[in-house]
Amino acid sequence: MADSTALRARDTIYAGGEWRAAVSGATREILDPADARAFAVLAEGDEKDTDLAVAAARRAFDEGPWPRTPVTERAALLRRVAGLLVRDREELGLLEAQDAGKTVEEGRVDIDCVADAFRYFADLVAAEAPGRVVDAGSPDIHSVVVHEPVGVCALITPWNYPLLQASWKIAPALAAGNTFVVKPSEITPMTTVALIGLLTEAGLPAGVANIVTGPGHTVGARMAEHPDVDLVSFTGGLVSGTKVAQAAAPTVKKVALELGGKNPNVVFADACATEEGFDTAVDQALNAAFIHSGQVCSAGARLIVEESVRDRFVAELARRAEKIRLGRGTEDGVECGPLVSAQQREKVESYVDSALKEGAVLRCGGKRPEPAPERPASGYFYEPTVLDRCHREMRVVREEVFGPVLTVETFRTEDEAVALANDTEYGLAGGVWTADPGRARRVAGRLRHGTVWINDFHPYLPQAEWGGFGKSGTGRELGPAGLAEYRETKHVYQNLAPAPVRWFRG
């Protein structure tokens, strides 16, 4: 435990345009997962802080100017925020790396993507028509369908991509004219706190943006059930997402859930027919499974490879996985950082232990690495792990591990590959590798996953909707559908020549 007197305590609850401490005075140390040392102290909010923040957002929506601000002005503010993110890219990228344990390079890319999201939603809302005219069959009737903001939005974000996931909610919520309260993960809140400061600097009116730093079981639960919240958007695990939906049900508020995934990466033998094709497929399988230490909802954690190339493919995959350089993300040459917490590492270890007991064959990894100057013994590091000879009955294949663990299954026919890829209660994302364009489109069309990459893995486009099937959630983020989540639809019917109806005689 770090000496908290050497740390700078921060007032990180922002409500109604004012930064302050928690009502209870409680604080939480934020740990660097590379060495388990605290590098900041933040306010630890609870239900009382949440009520204050929601009340501020409610007043700002009901009485403030933001919902009635012209879309051109709202778009201009979002573009100013994007400019501020570019200005502070290095500082924010470093903070994201320290907070979440990723490399600085990954942190910088995240900030670039956040800026892109703000620009995209600014452009999208500014280019929209004011409404959709509905033909009522009479020149005396003006009928139009318009979009209006939902109201007060409760935004609950995960710990793996703190600022990126926050931007996917905050940018469209603001573009649509809403006010919001955001609760970042209590493990990785730092960059979301910084973003609230940038929104204020960009000129957002007081009360539109509010943040409560604190745990999910108090702050998140209160946000989901609060009667003055009109929408709750949650990104995280299945268990927590189910609780959010249950808490929101009595008030029948809108709910958007982006939950977990158990994503297949299907490799056909023809994709490996050339040395270049083989090398690319292996490289992308490593990227799919081990970027950010596998702590990605869309991670390609299930390698499903055609039997005829399985042995060679897995051998090369394991050889290269062993060479991945683990360490503190700020160190030169480091390719993969630690897991986010001791609890997360213990969870990963339990999955690997159960897989080995159930018959999986360990090809590499499966343990904590030896300490090194760039990899302190106190950090939450775990070696990239490849588990061969896996099957659907194993927990490690069925459940989301959220760590650097890749399982290997094999198939012989296209139908078998599709059946294996779809044999999951999740349906977030998947990949298909083949040199046959017809097969690529055919298999992609049969996969029950919200995003399917063909001969690639992990890229996303701000213009394209992101969401899943099955237990991967009900919400859609990015693209026009991402903006639609934060809107209500209203039909305005205007009679230009009203006359008596005369249904009744009086």
Side-chain angles (χ1 to χ4, degrees), residues 282 286 290 315-327 333-336 363-365 367 369 374-375 382-386:
V282 170
L286 291 163
F290 299 130
E316 178 62 13
L317 188 75
R319 185 189 71 80
R320 292 179 57 180
E322 287 180 331
K323 295 181 178 297
I324 292 175
R325 295 186 291 275
L326 298 180
V334 165
E335 297 173 315
C336 205
R363 297 300 185 192
C364 70
K367 64 182 186 299
E374 73 280 6
R375 194 170 56 240
Y382 194 79
E383 292 183 354
T385 299
V386 177

Side-chain angles (χ1 to χ4, degrees), residues 1-237:
M1 180 66 69
D3 180 5
S4 59
T5 61
L7 302 170
R8 177 169 167 260
R10 298 180 61 184
D11 295 343
T12 53
I13 294 173
Y14 190 72
E18 295 183 357
W19 290 102
R20 60 176 187 79
V23 171
S24 68
T27 60
R28 174 189 289 266
E29 291 184 338
I30 305 302
L31 305 182
D32 184 337
D35 57 18
R37 294 181 179 178
F39 67 95
V41 176
L42 272 63
E44 179 87 330
D46 59 18
E47 295 90 345
K48 292 181 180 178
D49 302 284
T50 306
D51 287 347
L52 291 172
V54 171
R58 185 81 263 166
R59 285 192 301 272
F61 185 81
D62 293 341
E63 305 169 15
W66 186 249
R68 288 157 287 282
T69 298
V71 292
T72 54
E73 295 181 27
R74 296 205 299 265
L77 184 137
L78 293 183
R79 293 189 186 102
R80 290 197 296 274
V81 174
L84 295 174
L85 287 161
V86 172
R87 182 197 69 186
D88 295 347
R89 178 178 185 260
E90 289 301 312
E91 179 184 351
L92 291 170
L94 179 62
L95 186 60
E96 194 80 326
Q98 185 177 24
D99 204 11
K102 59 183 65 179
T103 66
V104 174
E105 182 180 358
E106 289 180 82
R108 293 186 185 116
V109 171
D110 285 359
I111 304 309
D112 293 340
C113 293
V114 171
D116 287 344
F118 274 89
R119 292 192 197 98
Y120 169 75
F121 283 108
D123 293 344
L124 180 63
V125 74
E128 285 186 320
R132 178 171 60 87
V133 176
V134 179
D135 185 2
S138 169
D140 293 330
I141 302 298
H142 178 69
S143 177
V144 62
V145 174
V146 297
H147 299 295
E148 296 190 347
V150 171
V152 175
C153 301
L155 313 177
I156 305 173
T157 60
W159 50 258
N160 59 333
Y161 284 88
L163 195 57
L164 184 62
Q165 292 292 332
S167 73
W168 287 12
K169 302 178 189 299
I170 290 173
L174 291 177
N178 298 285
T179 63
F180 70 85
V181 181
V182 62
K183 191 208 87 66
S185 166
E186 60 270 31
I187 302 174
T188 58
M190 301 297 292
T191 50
T192 308
V193 173
L195 177 61
I196 300 300
L198 296 184
L199 292 172
T200 303
E201 183 179 348
L204 193 67
V208 176
N210 306 272
I211 184 171
V212 181
T213 50
H217 70 273
T218 55
V219 177
R222 180 56 179 156
M223 288 169 67
E225 71 180 11
H226 203 294
D228 282 339
V229 166
D230 301 296
L231 171 148
V232 57
S233 178
F234 171 87
T235 299

